[in-house]
Amino acid sequence: MTDTAQTFGFSEAVQQDESRVMTYIAAISEALRYEMRRDPDVLILGEDVGGEFGGAFKVTKGFEEEFGPRRVMNTPLAELGFTGMATGMALMGLRPVIEMQFADFISTAFDSIVQFAATTHYRWGGAVPWVIRAPCDGGIRSGPFHSQNPEAWFVHTPGLKVVAPGTPADAKGLLLAAIRDNNPVIYFESKPLYRSLKGYVPPDDYVVPLGRANVARAGDELSIITYGTQLQESLKAAERLAAEGIHAEVLDLRTLKPLDTEAILTTVRKTGKALIVHSANRMAGVGAEVAAFIAEHAFEWLDGPVQRLGGLDTPIPFSPPLEDAYRPNADKIYRLARDLAQY
Amino acid sequence: MSAQELSRDQHLEIYYWMRLTRTFDDRMLALWKQGRGVGGTFSQRGHEAISVGAGYALGPKDVVAPMHRDLGCYLLRGLSPRRAFASLLGRATGVTAGRDANLHGMGDLSLGLIGFISHLPQSLPVTLGVAMSFLYRDEPRVAMTFTGDGASSAGLFHEVLNMASLYNAPMVIIVENNQYAYSTPLSQQMKVPDIARRADGYGIPGIIVDGNDVEAVYAVTKEAVERARSGGGPTLIEAKTMRMLGHAIHDGAEYVPRELLAEWEKRDPIRLYEERLLSAEICDQAELDEIGRRCEVEIEDAIAYAEASPWPDPATVLEGVYAP
């Protein structure tokens, strides 16, 4: 794979295939359908996922018709119960993909995830190969309980893996990798990108290995380290910076646990400056871990203070002026990056 | 099959597992008093009829998630006293190789055992998932779990009863109602003291059984297991008993009235079964004594094995967080 922003890692010739350009949400559906056709042990469960309805965001529309109710299980509104149920299924070798209707609701399943599923292999060798799909992030005026980004809780939990795709291709490739992984994986999918972002998605069996970041745009003056929704905002900011002659590198982490520390070191050693951006609030967020890692391992390469941009330390407000004040965006990234470049 | 149909060999086998559990427990408590234990531990005293009677009702391909009062169930599934004792002592040869404490986490899928966590209600949905995997694959297998009166107060207990009922899951839930959740008596835990009645709300059978009568526990569990296996769905069984010692070994349980314990002591499950075996002339005292001696030899061997076992190598502390 080449590593430039415009191609998301694919050659221009391949990208010419218009039929393979799809939305971020279509890429998720495609990955699920592909894997369910390939592996009879893969099943889907969650609230409203079955029938004609096909989920709150329609990711699994038509799935029950194709795969039957046994493999597309509508559940009661009991996240704690059905997540634990998925753990039992996974221990017996099935590969359940749980749709957590909104990432915000994952807190109700917390014990099942962090106490049972995450610890089982370490304690007695039981593998728990499930995936939780967690539609996250805001900017779509959904208020405090339909806009959250709770990835830091899970990055802090030993035994879990956490991914956050920022492109349609990665949405597919990381989901296939997550389903095939023998550990519990939480897959944070960006609601704001669902239908707003289109891109080339490779056909058939396309896997993006867990634990590998991607240089989404090359540059040498500062590194913007990001993931999920903020990848696109960071790329917009980098474009604007480039117009002013500031060449920012954009590193898309893609997997938040395990972190690709090698890629972080490589970009920071190259540019000497780092700005970490995520939608989640800053306090004890993923950015804090990345910043600490840089301070510990790349101090001598730094030409400026490590900066972080994230949501504010408040519940996520509803009204547009408040939510806009809360959230990072391309303009805020641009301004902070410009200041850092000039440091 | 009813309990009356138990063969002489089966009776003696059940007695052996109960006696082995008691011997293990007695020696474990003695070791801890001598300062040879590691961390805390949980006595099984009074629970032997439930863990053995219910566990004995399962078939070899069934799967069970016992809890910390169910040593008998682990043992009869084939977990050796050596491995169990090595687990208690945190040794490399234990089930968890020193990762998890006392009876926690003693999972071994090759024996059909799921290891529990301290958050006891968590075994309920996991067991439901195991049962659902049997439905998914059209396998005639059953999943069973044990939980406590305290755990039955958690919302998850109700989530799982509802889902198990909804999905007609081949699942058996044994609630070991031992009257106390740590220091909290049942009267401060719930207004309706028959936990089995909650099954009514979910349209599944809820059965109360004398948890100190191993034949009765076996009989109702066997019936529930076969119902589940033949597509009849889940059953909630409440086995009423008494926790005869503290919550864990540090706990003197001074909050439990002594008269209550004295009453239950008269109904010790192992002595009750001995009396039954003798009065029904299923065996004689010499045979029971011989089983007792066998158990003592086995447990002494397990202790010697565990104490001679190596500690886990600290260099391995990072290993196993992830499955390969």
Side-chain angles (χ1 to χ4, degrees), chain A residues 30 46 73-74 100 135 141 170 223 241 264 287 315 319 328 333 342:
Chain A
E30 175 172 292
M73 285 178 70
N74 257 353
M100 196 62 62
R141 318 316 183 194
D170 284 346
S223 301
L241 290 164
I264 294 169
S319 183
I333 298 167
Q342 288 164 358

Side-chain angles (χ1 to χ4, degrees), chain A residues 20 22 25-44 59-63 66-67 71 97 171-177 179-180 201-208:
Chain A
R20 296 300 310 164
M22 64 181 77
I25 195 169
I28 296 170
S29 290
E30 175 172 292
L32 283 173
R33 191 177 284 108
Y34 179 84
E35 199 61 359
M36 287 184 76
R37 286 175 181 167
R38 194 190 70 84
D39 182 353
D41 287 337
V42 177
L43 69 141
I44 284 169
V59 170
T60 56
K61 192 167 175 59
F63 275 53
E66 176 171 355
F67 300 106
R71 297 185 67 195
V97 180
K172 175 175 177 178
L174 286 171
L175 186 49
L176 287 190
I179 296 171
R180 293 176 193 180
V201 176
D204 307 324
D205 209 291
Y206 175 66
V207 174
V208 173

Side-chain angles (χ1 to χ4, degrees), chain A residues 40-42 70-71 73-76 78 81 84-85 88-89 91-92 111-112 115 121-124 159-160 182-183, chain B residues 96 99-100 105 107 109 115-117 119 122 125-126 129 133 135-138 159 163 167 317 319-324:
Chain A
D41 287 337
V42 177
R70 192 177 294 198
R71 297 185 67 195
M73 285 178 70
N74 257 353
T75 62
M85 178 173 78
M89 292 170 146
L91 281 169
M92 301 312 288
D111 263 0
S112 279
Q115 304 290 1
H121 192 268
Y122 188 72
R123 290 182 303 117
W124 56 273
L160 299 177
N182 288 325
N183 296 282
Chain B
T96 73
R99 259 66 172 164
D100 207 344
L109 290 176
F116 75 99
I117 68 171
H119 314 52
Q122 285 296 321
V126 172
S133 80
L135 282 189
Y136 188 91
R137 290 172 165 152
D138 288 320
E159 289 189 24
M163 284 194 288
Y167 297 137
V317 69
E319 290 174 11
V321 175
Y322 290 116

